[in-house]
Amino acid sequence: MLLVKVYISEKEKEKVTISKYLQGQFAEHLGRGIYGGLWVGKESDIPNINGIRSDIVEALKKINIPVLRWPGGSFADQYHWRDGIGDYKDRRKIFNNSWGGVVEDNSFGTHEFFELCRQLGCEAYVNVNLGSGTVREMADWIEYVTAKTGSTMADLRAKNGHPEPWKIKFLGLGNEAWMGGGYMRPDYYADVYRRYQTYVPEYNGDIYKIASGPGECDFEWTDKVMDIAHSFMDGFSLHHYSLTDTFYNKGDAVNFDETEWGSLLYSAKRMDDLINDNLYHMAAYDPEHKVDLVVDEWGTWLEAEKGTNPAFLYQQNTIRDAIIAATTFNIFNKHAKYVKMANIAQMVNVLQAMILTKDDKMILTPTYFVFDMYKFHQDADLIDAYCNNGSDISYTISHKNGEYIISVCNSSITADEDVTIKFNHKLGAPNYSKILAGKEMNDHNTFEEPKNVKEESYSGYSISNNEINISSKKMSIITIKIPVAE
Ligand code: AHR
C-alpha cells in the first residue's frame, strides 16, 4: 500500500470554474443511439412521452446533463434538416451512408431533438452541415428554430406545432472537416468556416460558434485554422478516442488482459498532452485564449459486440471504461481554465455509452455512475492541488456552496492506495460518500445481471481537523462531499 499525498496549493490563484458543460453528451443518428435507444415513437408500447423513452430520460435526468450535441458527428454532414420536419408519413427516407447504409426515416428530427432537450433540461448543441449543405440551408434552419413568428421559416415551425422559438446555445460548423466532413484542407476549411459563420443569425440569444478542430495532434490543422479564422470563433474542437491499439485492432470491450487494460488507459491519458499541445499551438494566434478548447468527441472505441452490426458501434462497458471516464474528467478539470465543453461519445447504445438498451429493457453502465458521482463538480471552483506520488491516482478537488468535493480514481489493477489530502480549512462531517469499484477488471452489467457494478456508500476514510485520509481501492472511483467547518 502506497501513501499518496495531495497538497492544496497555497498560492493566490485566479478563480477557475469547472464548466458544467465538460459533462456534455453526444447523440448521433448512428446505430441504435437514437432509434430504439432514445426514440421509440408515440405509438410504441414502450412507455414514452412524445415518442421519447421515459425510462431513459428518467435515468439521464439524474446525472444533470448540461448539453447534448446532435445530429452528428459524421452524420451531420449528410443531414438536411428539412427531411426531418412535418408529418411523419411525408418525411424523406434516406440511406445513412455514414453508418452502415441503413434506412433513416427521419422520424427523429428538429422538433423531436428539442423535445428531448426539454425533457432532459439541457442546452442544445446543434452541429450544422458544411460538408454537403449550403449557407442558406444553415441560415434557414437557425431561423426555423430560433426566430419568433413572422417569417416564413418561423411560421412553418408554428404550423408544425411549436409557435415558441427554441434556443441554440452552441453551434458546430462542420465536423472532422479534414475527413468525413469534406476531406478539406485546413486553409480551405478556415475560409469556408469564415463564410458560414458570417450568416449565423442570432434571433434568440447569443450563439456560441465552434470550429472543427484537429483529430488528435494534427497541429498543421490547428495552426492554419486558428491563424485564418480564430477571431470568428468562440470554441475550437478536438476529438480524441481511446484505443487499445489502432482503429484496425481496437480490442475487445470485455475480454481483455492486463496489457490491454494498460494500453487503453495509456491512450486515454494522452488527452492531457493533446490538450496541452493544442492549447500551445492555439496560443500562438490567440495569446489571450479568447477561443476555448471544446473536446466534443471523446471516449473508448472498442470492437463492436459480436453478432451486432459493426457499423452500429455497439460495445459493452466495464469498470475499465469507468476508470477511463474518471481519469479523463480529472484531466479536463485540471485544464478547466481553457477547456470549456466536452461531449462523451455517445449517450445511449453507441461507443462509451451511459445506457444500453435491449427492446424495452435498459441497463446503466459503469460510465453512467462516474457521471453521477462527478456531477457535483459541475460549475464548482477548481481547487489547485498537486500530488507527490502515485501514477495510478488521479483526482479532482473542488469547492461549491460551502462544501469541498473530492473525487479520487485509482486505476491500478492490483494495489489499494492511501490518499491523504490536507486542506487549508477544518473539515466537517461528509454528507455524501460513494464508491464505484471493480473486483475483476472486466466487471460489467448485463441485461441478466444489471447490478454487478454500481455505486455504493463508502466509509473508508478518516478525518482529522483539516486532513482527510481516503482508502482508495484498486480499480475504483470515490467521491466525497465535505462541508467546510470553519
Ligand atoms: O462518434 C463516432 C464518430 O467518430 C463520429 O461520427 C465522427 O465525428 C468520429 O469520427
Side-chain angles (χ1 to χ4, degrees), residues 8-14 384 386 424:
I8 304 291
S9 170
E10 296 285 350
K11 281 178 276 169
E12 268 309 310
K13 287 243 169 132
E14 66 180 297
D384 193 41
Y386 61 99
N424 301 327

Side-chain angles (χ1 to χ4, degrees), residues 26 28 30 73-74 99 175-176 239 241 297 301 345-346 351:
F26 172 33
E28 178 168 12
L30 192 179
S74 303
W99 301 109
N175 173 72
E176 299 190 350
H239 290 181
Y241 286 97
E297 287 185 28
W301 194 322
Q346 300 191 5
L351 298 174

Side-chain angles (χ1 to χ4, degrees), residues 86-197:
D87 209 315
Y88 292 115
K89 69 175 175 6
D90 299 328
R91 294 197 189 181
R92 180 172 164 169
K93 291 193 174 60
I94 60 163
F95 295 114
N96 185 334
N97 293 326
S98 307
W99 301 109
V102 295
V103 172
E104 157 69 60
D105 69 4
N106 277 301
S107 51
F108 189 91
T110 299
H111 289 249
E112 292 74 20
F113 170 67
F114 281 94
E115 169 62 9
L116 174 61
C117 291
R118 186 193 68 78
Q119 291 187 25
L120 292 174
C122 72
E123 300 284 359
Y125 173 6
V126 173
N127 212 112
V128 298
N129 179 348
L130 259 68
S132 65
T134 64
V135 172
R136 180 170 181 180
E137 184 183 0
M138 173 201 70
D140 281 353
W141 195 12
I142 297 168
E143 185 178 325
Y144 181 91
V145 171
T146 62
K148 61 178 192 296
T149 47
S151 76
T152 302
M153 285 298 110
D155 289 351
L156 182 59
R157 181 194 66 237
K159 185 169 153 258
N160 287 334
H162 207 277
E164 283 305 307
W166 294 289
K167 195 169 160 50
I168 297 177
K169 174 107 178 158
F170 301 99
L171 191 80
L173 295 108
N175 173 72
E176 299 190 350
W178 33 270
M179 198 170 67
Y183 286 97
M184 300 181 201
R185 287 169 293 180
D187 314 54
Y188 178 73
Y189 168 72
D191 280 336
V192 171
Y193 174 85
R194 284 169 64 126
R195 187 162 73 96
Y196 269 73
Q197 69 78 37

Side-chain angles (χ1 to χ4, degrees), residues 24-90:
Q25 297 281 340
F26 172 33
E28 178 168 12
H29 289 240
L30 192 179
R32 296 190 301 112
I34 304 256
Y35 297 109
L38 290 157
W39 173 256
V40 285
K42 294 174 189 166
E43 310 303 326
S44 173
D45 291 339
I46 297 176
N48 68 84
I49 295 176
N50 296 326
I52 297 164
R53 283 182 73 145
S54 302
D55 54 346
I56 306 295
V57 168
E58 195 189 325
L60 291 173
K61 276 174 81 167
K62 291 198 183 121
I63 59 173
N64 290 357
I65 291 179
V67 59
L68 178 60
R69 178 177 185 236
W70 173 83
S74 303
F75 183 76
D77 283 302
Q78 78 155 117
Y79 186 62
H80 299 285
W81 68 273
R82 283 168 188 269
D83 297 348
I85 57 167
D87 209 315
Y88 292 115
K89 69 175 175 6
D90 299 328

Side-chain angles (χ1 to χ4, degrees), residues 251-256 302-303 315-318 320-321 442:
D252 198 277
V254 175
N255 300 309
F256 53 84
L302 299 158
E303 288 299 344
Q315 66 190 41
Q316 249 296 355
N317 193 294
T318 67
R320 181 176 63 161
D321 294 80
N442 64 351

